[in-house]
Amino acid sequence: MKTNFLNPKITIAVIFLSATTGVLAQNKQVVDTIKTKDIDEVIVTGVFDKRTRMNAPIAITVLKSEMIEQQVPNSAADLLKNVPGVYVNSSLGEIRNNVSSRGISAGSADGTFAYEYISMQEDGLPVTNTTYFNYGPDFFLRADATIAQIDAVRGGPASITAANAPGGIFNYISKTGGNKLAGEVRAKYGIQGADNSGFYRMDANVGGPLGDNWFFNVGGFYRYDLGAKYPGYPFNNGGQVKANIVKKYNKGSVKVFLKYLDDKNGYAQLIPTRNYSDAEPAEGFSSSSSILIPKLQYNSPDFIHGGNVDYNSGRLVTNKYRSVGLNWDHNLGNDWKLFLASKYSDNDVVQNSVGTSFVTSLTDFTPYALIGGLGFGTYSYKDALTGQEVASVLAAPGPGGLPAYLVTKNLLPNQSIQNNSLLMSALNFYENKVKESMNQLTINKKWKNMNFSFGGYYGYSDVWRFSGINGIAITTLESRPRMLTLSLTGLTLLDPTKPGVFQMTNSDGFAQGAGSTGDLLEFNAKQQQGAVFFGHTWDLTDKLTFDWGVRYEKVWFKGDNTRTFLVSNKNGGTDGNIYTMYNNNTLSNLTNVSYSRQLDNFSYSAALNYQFNANLAIYGRYSKGSKAPDLDGFFAANRVETIDLLDPKSRKTQQIEMGFKTRTTYFDAFVTPFYSLLSNVPYSFFADDGKGGFYGTPTLYNKNETYGLELETNIKPTENFTVRAVLTLQNPKVKEGYLWNLGAPGPADDTPTTYSGTTVAFTPKIMANVTPNLKVGKAYGFVTWNYMGEREGSNTNIYKLAAFSQFDLGVGYNLTDNLSMLVNVNNVFNTYGVMSYQRPGTLMQQLSGFENFTQAEYNAAVANNTPYFTIAIPPTSGYLTVTYKF
C-alpha cells in the first residue's frame, strides 16, 4: 500500500518554518550554557587537526551512540539516512547497500557498484581499500554496541584527507575504556513482515581501566534472523567480536584493536510488480515475498582448478573479516605531534546467491537456448518434490527451421501475472579472498597562529576471485517458489540423429548455463596505492581562518584474468551421457591475459571560515578530487581481444560549497548549499552476440552535475521535547551522456549516441528525515518521518520511481537507572516504497540495461500492464529491546 502525503515541498517547508519560527519566538538572550550541543562536537574525521564543528570549514554530521541505539537499522549504512546529502538504498538487506552523497554516484540501482566514490571507515581507516563488482565494505561493516559515534563528512576535504573518497568519509568510531568499568547488554526480539518472521539478537560491550593507565574495551553481537522476506531458511546468521586496549602515557597513547566477523547474509530479490505509476506487488505477491530458491545443493564442474564448484543456496553470502590494527598518538615536543594508523585485514566472501531472476514464457526461444535445450518434441515440466507434471509444451519446426512452441498443459500458479510463464534464476557463485594492509602517518606542527600537517598513506590489496554462473534454476512463479524439473522427449538440435528422453535439469531442477553462458572466471590482482598529503590551517585573525591542502596519489594495478570457453558437447559432457543435458558443458579452451597499469591523481581543497561570534559562523570551500577506478574494469577485460583496449580513467570531481552554522539557546542549524561535478562516469552493459551468448560493450564516459542544499537542525524548546531534522534539496543533471545504439546482434554495427540535460538516475531531488522525541517521566517516544523523493529509473528518463514516505515509531521506558526497554515499529503503514527495479521485456532486453529502455517499449508496457520487477523498503516489522547498562 502506498501512503498518501501532502505535497512534499509544502510539507517540508512548513516543518522547517514552524521549527525556526518557534525558536525565534522565544526571544531570549543567548547564554553560555547552550541546550543543543551538537554543533560543539569535536571532530577528528575529514580534518588534519582536531577542532569543533563550529570552527571547521567542512560539512560534517556526528551521530552519537544515544541516537544509534534507539534505531533498528536494516544495515550499518542505513544509519546514514540521518545525514543530509546522503542517499542510502538498503532495501536488499544487511549487505550490497548503495551509498552516495551530493549526486556523486555510480548510478547503480543496487549494491553492485555501491561505494565507488566514498570511504566507509572504522576508526579512521577504510574497512577495505578495494572495491569491485559485488564486493565492498558493507560485507564486513556492522553497527553494534561497540560503536561510540559515526562521523559523516560530505565532499570537500574528503578527497585530500582520505583515500578513494571524493564523495565523502563515513567513519564508524569504536568505544574505548574509561576510568570506570562500564558496559551494557542488549537483547532484541522482533517479528517481521506478513509471516511474523523471527529476529533474535544479543549485543554486549564492556570497557574500563586495567591499571597503570591501561584501558580496555570488548564487545560485539550475535544475530539469528529469519528475514522480513523469509525464504524458508535463515536470512542473516552470525556476528562479530571487537576489542581494543589502550595505553596512555605522558606524551600520548597507543591503541591496539582487533576484529573478527563471521556472518552469513542474504540479500532480497526483486519481485513481480504491477502498475508503473504506483507500483504494487503483482497478484500472489506482497512486500514480504521472497523468490529465493529453496535450500539445495548443486555441484558443477570446475574447469579451471578441477573438481566441482560447490554451490549451496542456504549458505547465501558468507563473510569473514579478521583484522588487527594500531593507532599511535605521540607528542614529539615543541608543538610537534605524530599520529600513526595501521591495519592488516584478511577478508573472505563466498557468495552462493541468485542473480537475475526473470519471468519467462514457455514459448520463448531464448530460455531454452540458454540451458542448451533447443530441440523438437514434447517438453515436460514437473514439480521437483512431488513429480506432478505442471506444464507441457510441444516444439515443432517453425520459420527458419527453428522451434515454434505450443503449450498443451498449464497448471502453473499465478498465470494471471503473465500467461504460460515461470521463473528462471541464474545461480551466481563468487569466491573472494582479499588480504590488505593500510597505513597512514601524519605529522602535525603548530606554529604561532598556524597549523601544518603532512604525511603519507600506503594501501596494499592482494585480491583473488573465482566466479561464474554456476547454473540456472527453473521455478514456479510464486513467493518461495518450487523447483521444477524439465525434460524433452524428442531430439535436440545439438545432435538430431539421436532421439530420446533428455533431462534438461537434474532431479532438483537445476540446468546448466550452456556454452559461454556458463563460463568461469578467475582473477588475480594486486593493487598498491601510495599518497602524500599536506594541510595548512592559518588563523588570519581571531575570526577568519584559511584552510587548504593537497594530495598526490599513485595507484598501481597488476594482475591476470583467466577465462574458460565452454561448449555443449554432443558426446555427453562430463558424465558421457548424451541424455543428461544439465552437465553437457565441456572445456573448449582456457585463456589467460595479464595487465599492468598505473594512474596518477592530484587533489586539492581550500576554504575560508569566518566566525562572527561563538554562535554564528560561515565558510566557503572549493575542492577538486581525483580517484582511480575500482577493479571492475580490469576484471571485465578478460578476453584476448579486449585486454589491449584496457584504458582506465580516473574519476574526477569538482565541488563548491558554502556553510552557514548558527545556534541559539534552543536551536542549532547547519545549512550548506553545494555544487558538484562528476566526470569520467563509466557506462557499459551486456548485449546479444548473436551466437547464443553475450558481450560487454566498450566503456563510454559520462559527466554529471548537481546543484543542491543540505540542512541539519536540532531543536530543543524544552528539556523533554526535541526535534532533529535533516533535509536535502538537489537537482542532479547529466551534463554529457553517451549511449550505445545497438544494431544487429554482435558489436559490428554498434554506434555511440549522445544526450544531455536529463536527470541523473536513482538520485532523488528531495530527501528528508524528521524525528520529534518526547520524554514524560521515565517514558519516552519518537516518530521518524523519512521522505524519499521521486527518482528517474535511467539517465534517459523513461521511467520514474515514485516518491514515498516511511514512518517509524519508538516507545521506551526506563524501568530503573540501569534497566530499560524499547519497542520499535519500522514502516508503520507498510508502505511499498520502491528503491530499484528491473525493466520489463525479454531476458535480452533486461540485460541491455536501463538506458536502452525506450519510450515506445515503456508505453507498450504501460498499455499492456506488463509485469516487471521491483524491490521496496522492508515491510512492517516490530522489535522489543531490553537493555541493561552498568
Side-chain angles (χ1 to χ4, degrees):
M1 116 183 179
K2 295 284 298 227
T3 53
N4 295 318
F5 215 72
L6 297 174
N7 180 287
K9 293 183 180 179
I10 296 175
T11 304
I12 293 165
V14 168
I15 289 172
F16 284 96
L17 182 60
S18 299
T20 306
T21 303
V23 172
L24 296 178
Q26 301 294 327
N27 195 29
K28 293 186 178 181
Q29 293 292 322
V30 176
V31 294
D32 291 337
T33 303
I34 301 295
K35 291 189 176 182
T36 56
K37 296 287 188 180
D38 297 73
I39 212 160
D40 287 325
E41 295 285 355
V42 175
I43 57 175
V44 296
T45 304
V47 294
F48 288 118
D49 60 325
K50 296 179 181 180
R51 63 183 85 176
T52 65
R53 288 181 69 196
M54 182 62 79
N55 193 40
I58 65 174
I60 184 171
T61 296
V62 179
L63 305 179
K64 303 296 287 185
S65 61
E66 293 82 2
M67 174 193 296
I68 295 170
E69 66 187 29
Q70 288 189 356
Q71 303 182 36
V72 184
N74 205 29
S75 65
D78 205 38
L79 292 164
L80 300 179
K81 291 178 180 177
N82 296 287
V83 179
V86 178
Y87 169 80
V88 180
N89 179 356
S90 59
S91 58
L92 296 184
E94 186 83 61
I95 60 174
R96 298 186 76 241
N97 290 193
N98 191 326
V99 179
S100 61
S101 72
R102 296 182 173 178
I104 299 177
S105 75
S108 178
D110 59 19
T112 304
F113 310 101
Y115 293 92
E116 184 166 358
Y117 300 102
I118 64 169
S119 179
M120 300 291 281
Q121 298 186 353
E122 281 187 301
D123 298 314
L125 285 174
V127 176
T128 176
N129 197 55
T130 187
T131 57
Y132 51 87
F133 184 85
N134 277 335
Y135 177 91
D138 64 10
F139 287 84
F140 316 112
L141 182 62
R142 305 290 181 268
D144 60 14
T146 66
I147 299 295
Q149 69 183 54
I150 301 172
D151 288 357
V153 176
R154 287 95 65 196
S159 58
I160 61 170
T161 57
N164 308 314
I169 306 169
F170 304 102
N171 187 15
Y172 292 65
I173 300 173
S174 301
K175 295 175 181 175
T176 56
N179 293 321
K180 294 183 179 180
L181 184 69
E184 65 178 285
V185 178
R186 299 182 208 156
K188 190 185 303 291
Y189 168 72
I191 52 174
Q192 308 170 103
D195 295 328
N196 291 328
S197 301
F199 178 96
Y200 311 88
R201 175 167 171 147
M202 183 72 73
D203 283 63
N205 187 76
V206 62
L210 293 171
D212 196 26
N213 283 325
W214 285 90
F215 304 86
F216 81 99
N217 194 86
V218 61
F221 79 96
Y222 175 77
R223 176 245 300 111
Y224 181 86
D225 174 22
L226 295 179
K229 303 177 181 183
Y230 179 50
Y233 41 88
F235 197 70
N236 295 292
N237 186 17
Q240 72 176 8
V241 176
K242 292 169 61 180
N244 61 68
I245 186 168
V246 178
K247 169 63 176 177
K248 295 181 180 179
Y249 57 98
N250 60 345
K251 288 191 175 183
S253 65
V254 177
K255 179 173 75 170
V256 177
F257 52 90
L258 303 167
K259 174 177 171 177
Y260 176 75
L261 177 140
D262 188 349
D263 205 10
K264 292 181 181 178
N265 310 107
Y267 55 90
Q269 301 295 303
L270 287 73
I271 62 172
T273 304
R274 294 286 197 192
N275 199 335
Y276 287 82
S277 60
D278 188 16
E280 58 186 2
E283 49 270 34
F285 290 85
S286 74
S287 58
S288 301
S289 294
S290 170
I291 60 170
L292 288 173
I293 65 174
K295 184 178 180 179
L296 290 168
Q297 178 77 31
Y298 175 63
N299 294 329
S300 62
D302 181 347
F303 291 103
I304 295 180
H305 310 100
N308 287 322
V309 176
D310 178 19
Y311 179 96
N312 188 306
S313 55
R315 295 193 195 113
L316 297 169
V317 184
T318 302
N319 307 298
K320 294 185 177 181
Y321 187 87
R322 300 154 288 255
S323 70
V324 57
L326 170 73
N327 285 349
W328 180 31
D329 195 345
H330 184 72
N331 188 343
L332 298 170
N334 197 26
D335 289 328
W336 286 87
K337 292 184 178 179
L338 174 150
F339 181 73
L340 173 67
S342 182
K343 180 169 70 173
Y344 172 81
S345 66
D346 185 353
N347 321 330
D348 297 334
V349 176
V350 181
Q351 287 196 38
N352 292 256
S353 59
V354 172
T356 301
S357 296
F358 55 96
V359 176
T360 183
S361 172
L362 298 174
T363 60
D364 187 356
F365 170 91
T366 303
Y368 293 105
L370 285 178
I371 63 174
L374 291 177
F376 302 111
T378 300
Y379 290 93
S380 177
Y381 293 86
K382 295 180 179 180
D383 188 307
L385 288 178
T386 67
Q388 177 192 6
E389 185 178 64
V390 293
S392 62
V393 180
L394 178 64
L402 295 175
Y405 303 98
L406 175 66
V407 178
T408 58
K409 182 179 184 179
N410 184 357
L411 301 177
L412 292 165
N414 289 327
Q415 295 303 284
S416 63
I417 298 175
Q418 182 172 296
N419 195 30
N420 296 328
S421 293
L422 44 72
L423 281 174
M424 296 185 76
S425 302
L427 310 182
N428 287 351
F429 180 86
Y430 303 100
E431 185 174 2
N432 303 270
K433 295 183 181 297
V434 180
K435 293 179 171 56
E436 296 188 296
S437 174
M438 289 161 271
N439 309 274
Q440 179 159 305
L441 175 66
T442 304
I443 296 175
N444 183 275
K445 167 64 176 176
K446 185 171 180 59
W447 181 66
K448 295 183 178 180
N449 57 343
M450 299 185 191
N451 191 82
F452 300 89
S453 298
F454 60 92
Y457 174 87
Y458 176 75
Y460 175 81
S461 302
D462 187 346
V463 178
W464 176 81
R465 178 182 178 111
F466 175 56
S467 62
I469 295 178
N470 198 41
I472 295 176
I474 303 176
T475 68
T476 54
L477 177 56
E478 61 184 328
S479 182
R480 293 177 59 183
R482 292 170 287 150
M483 298 290 291
L484 300 176
T485 63
L486 174 61
S487 64
L488 168 65
T489 301
L491 54 87
T492 69
L493 297 187
L494 185 64
D495 188 353
T497 65
K498 297 177 181 178
V501 179
F502 296 87
Q503 304 302 323
M504 298 299 168
T505 67
N506 67 7
S507 59
D508 288 324
F510 293 113
Q512 68 177 6
S516 62
T517 304
D519 282 345
L520 300 175
L521 299 163
E522 182 181 57
F523 309 108
N524 292 280
K526 290 180 173 57
Q527 175 183 318
Q528 297 184 74
Q529 186 169 1
V532 291
F533 52 82
F534 173 80
H536 177 209
T537 302
W538 185 2
D539 293 326
L540 299 170
T541 70
D542 59 346
K543 296 180 180 296
L544 183 63
T545 300
F546 177 52
D547 179 280
W548 68 280
V550 296
R551 184 184 186 95
Y552 170 74
E553 286 187 345
K554 195 174 191 70
V555 187
W556 296 265
F557 301 94
K558 186 174 183 179
D560 64 89
N561 304 326
T562 300
R563 183 187 183 103
T564 65
F565 288 85
L566 305 181
V567 295
S568 296
N569 192 319
K570 65 180 181 179
N571 295 319
T574 54
D575 64 359
N577 184 347
I578 64 171
Y579 299 105
T580 54
M581 300 292 288
Y582 55 84
N583 67 357
N584 256 13
N585 279 346
T586 57
L587 181 65
S588 171
N589 63 300
L590 196 68
T591 62
N592 179 271
V593 295
S594 59
Y595 58 85
S596 180
R597 303 287 191 277
Q598 61 186 42
L599 292 168
D600 298 279
N601 296 300
F602 181 73
S603 304
Y604 60 87
S605 183
L608 281 170
N609 189 87
Y610 187 82
Q611 189 164 343
F612 295 92
N613 53 52
N615 303 316
L616 180 64
I618 184 174
Y619 77 87
R621 177 178 289 275
Y622 175 79
S623 305
K624 191 169 185 178
S626 180
K627 74 170 291 291
D630 292 351
L631 287 174
D632 304 287
F634 299 91
F635 291 170
N638 53 57
R639 299 171 183 261
V640 173
E641 59 269 26
T642 60
I643 190 64
D644 289 337
L645 301 177
L646 179 61
D647 182 25
K649 296 182 183 297
S650 292
R651 315 301 188 237
K652 305 290 185 180
T653 60
Q654 295 183 57
Q655 296 188 67
I656 302 171
E657 63 186 89
M658 293 187 68
F660 302 88
K661 297 167 282 186
T662 185
R663 60 183 177 181
T664 70
T665 308
Y666 303 102
F667 171 86
D668 69 51
F670 199 152
V671 183
T672 313
F674 68 87
Y675 168 80
S676 64
L677 176 67
L678 174 63
S679 305
N680 291 343
V681 183
Y683 169 70
S684 65
F685 59 91
F686 289 107
D688 181 6
D689 67 1
K691 303 174 183 178
F694 313 103
Y695 69 95
T697 61
T699 300
L700 300 172
Y701 292 94
N702 296 343
K703 184 181 293 186
N704 302 333
E705 66 177 359
T706 303
Y707 292 88
L709 180 141
E710 302 165 344
L711 187 148
E712 178 181 0
T713 182
N714 295 278
I715 307 164
K716 192 172 184 180
T718 72
E719 287 296 329
N720 296 323
F721 181 67
T722 62
V723 179
R724 173 177 167 77
V726 297
L727 169 69
T728 304
L729 303 173
Q730 57 188 4
N731 188 21
K733 292 294 184 180
V734 176
K735 191 175 180 67
E736 295 177 10
Y738 297 91
L739 289 173
W740 282 108
N741 185 17
L742 302 181
D749 58 351
D750 294 351
T751 56
T753 59
T754 184
Y755 62 98
S756 64
T758 58
T759 299
V760 177
F762 303 105
T763 307
K765 292 185 177 181
I766 305 174
M767 295 182 290
N769 188 291
V770 181
T771 303
N773 194 320
L774 177 65
K775 295 180 181 179
V776 180
K778 293 185 176 182
Y780 62 93
F782 59 88
V783 176
T784 296
W785 169 54
N786 185 274
Y787 179 79
M788 177 63 67
E790 184 180 76
R791 291 133 292 145
E792 294 291 343
S794 67
N795 282 350
T796 49
N797 296 179
I798 301 300
Y799 169 64
K800 290 179 171 59
L801 282 69
F804 65 89
S805 292
Q806 175 184 341
F807 291 89
D808 299 334
L809 172 69
V811 178
Y813 190 82
N814 297 313
L815 300 167
T816 70
D817 290 340
N818 303 101
L819 184 64
S820 64
M821 60 188 298
L822 172 65
V823 175
N824 292 87
V825 180
N826 288 354
N827 195 5
V828 174
F829 299 112
N830 202 31
T831 300
Y832 192 75
V834 174
M835 294 300 298
S836 182
Y837 80 110
Q838 182 175 298
R839 56 159 293 181
T842 65
L843 173 62
M844 297 307 303
Q845 288 175 320
Q846 292 172 29
L847 288 174
S848 68
F850 303 112
E851 310 305 335
N852 288 288
F853 188 24
T854 67
Q855 188 67 55
E857 290 171 336
Y858 172 74
N859 293 340
V862 171
N864 299 322
N865 201 15
T866 305
Y868 63 115
F869 283 76
T870 63
I871 191 164
I873 59 176
T876 301
S877 300
Y879 305 89
L880 170 65
T881 306
V882 178
T883 301
Y884 181 78
K885 294 187 177 182
F886 58 91

